[in-house]
Amino acid sequence: MPTFVGRERETARLEARLRAAVAGAGSVVLVGGEPGVGKTRLATQTAGVARDLGMVVASGRATDDEGSPPYRPVSQVLRALTLPDPLGGGAVADGRADVAAQERFRRYEAVSGALRAAAAPTGLFVLLDDLHWADAGTLRLLVHVARDVPGRLVVVATYRTTEHATDAVFGASLAALAVEPVVERIVLTGLSEEEVGRQLDAVTGFAVPAGVAQAVHRRTHGNPFFVGELGLLLTGSPPAAGEPGLVPTGSPPAAGEPGLVPTGSPPAAGEPGLVPTGSPSAVGGCGCRTVCATRCGPGWPG
């Protein structure tokens, strides 16, 4: 697992939510940020703290795979808790809109009740990963739970901030969640230059010169995924074949800029510099501040 660096303030906020839940005050925390910024890593780190506090931990993940069933992440959570899934059973027999709405409400209440019961003994931590790919039903259910969140329950949902501007349903769900007093929003940005240096030291196994850390920070904007990829290059271990990563561009660094090599010296004249693959024109509108090797898709880190 990649080295966890920084995020002290965000970790403290999440730990405070966990301790409040153990004491009986549940909450929902939305963790947003661009692809690769470390949303899932922060959430899984928090899950470890929840276990240490004696809480039960369960997770589910949304996907944009074609044919993914409705409520997939919630069903995964219920299955992990060995609870019955009231969201199954197909469509409502009566086709009237009011009957369908009543049945949907009944099922949402059943899920809330199941989570309440599971959280009651020692607390429950639920991770819903990649919420930006969730179906409309899952998003409505999360809003429903947030409006009457069970005590001793913490739901952490991760999402890409590059997605909601183009998805009306997702954007409306975020807006509905934002007005609930039990909902907290954390938006992750890039690591600081000092934190980038610490991550590079951990990845490479040696003390990376300050000039190199500065150059990596400038090129990656502190995005932990790209920092880690460059760290692998410094150790001489490039990404696996087919993995989006960092390759020579054929252009040396700008004059006076330290090359991305362990010595901190600039490359020899004409030596390719190491920068993220791709170009802004190839990003395809994903909105990342760092340039992506491919359009941000299901294989891209969260």
Side-chain angles (χ1 to χ4, degrees):
M1 182 176 288
T3 303
F4 186 72
V5 173
R7 310 303 188 202
E8 288 83 3
R9 285 180 299 179
E10 294 86 352
T11 298
R13 290 167 65 182
L14 285 163
E15 287 187 12
R17 289 291 183 173
L18 295 178
R19 296 184 188 281
V22 171
S27 61
V28 174
V29 183
L30 305 175
V31 179
E34 68 182 20
V37 80
K39 304 177 295 295
T40 300
R41 184 61 200 278
L42 175 63
T44 54
Q45 192 81 3
T46 305
V49 177
R51 289 189 184 94
D52 291 342
L53 292 173
M55 301 177 74
V56 176
V57 173
S59 65
R61 183 183 182 189
T63 176
D64 67 343
D65 289 347
E66 192 172 348
S68 177
Y71 303 108
R72 179 178 186 264
V74 180
S75 294
Q76 289 177 325
V77 168
L78 295 173
R79 185 161 56 249
L81 296 171
T82 64
L83 295 172
D85 186 354
L87 300 171
V92 181
D94 193 317
R96 293 182 302 167
D98 59 334
V99 174
Q102 291 170 11
E103 176 62 15
R104 183 171 61 244
F105 185 86
R106 184 194 67 77
R107 294 181 182 185
Y108 288 3
E109 282 288 279
V111 171
S112 292
L115 295 177
R116 189 183 307 276
T122 60
L124 173 62
F125 176 89
V126 170
L127 168 59
L128 300 178
D129 205 12
D130 289 336
L131 193 66
H132 49 276
W133 283 323
D135 60 285
T138 296
L139 296 171
R140 283 195 297 260
L141 175 55
L142 180 58
V143 173
H144 182 92
V145 170
R147 287 174 175 163
D148 185 22
V149 65
R152 315 198 89 179
L153 169 68
V154 175
V155 178
V156 171
T158 69
Y159 70 98
R160 291 179 179 176
T161 51
T162 55
E163 301 287 334
H164 71 274
T166 57
D167 188 324
V169 175
F170 183 57
S173 299
L174 289 183
L177 288 166
V179 301
E180 297 300 324
V182 299
V183 175
E184 180 173 3
R185 184 178 178 185
I186 296 175
V187 177
L188 300 183
T189 56
L191 300 175
S192 68
E193 187 176 308
E194 184 270 336
E195 290 167 340
V196 166
R198 284 162 50 197
Q199 183 178 353
L200 290 173
D201 290 352
V203 171
T204 61
F206 57 81
V208 172
V212 175
Q214 183 182 49
V216 171
H217 181 265
R218 181 163 57 250
R219 290 180 183 273
T220 63
H221 298 278
N223 183 294
F225 174 75
F226 288 116
V227 173
E229 293 293 276
L230 280 171
L232 290 177
L233 286 177
L234 296 181
T235 64
S237 302
E243 178 181 354
L246 310 168
V247 297
T249 62
S251 304
E257 178 179 355
L260 302 179
V261 294
T263 64
S265 320
E271 180 180 352
L274 301 175
V275 298
T277 56
S279 63
S281 62
V283 172
C286 67
C288 296
R289 291 184 294 115
T290 43
V291 287
C292 301
T294 58
R295 170 70 169 91
C296 293
W300 200 253

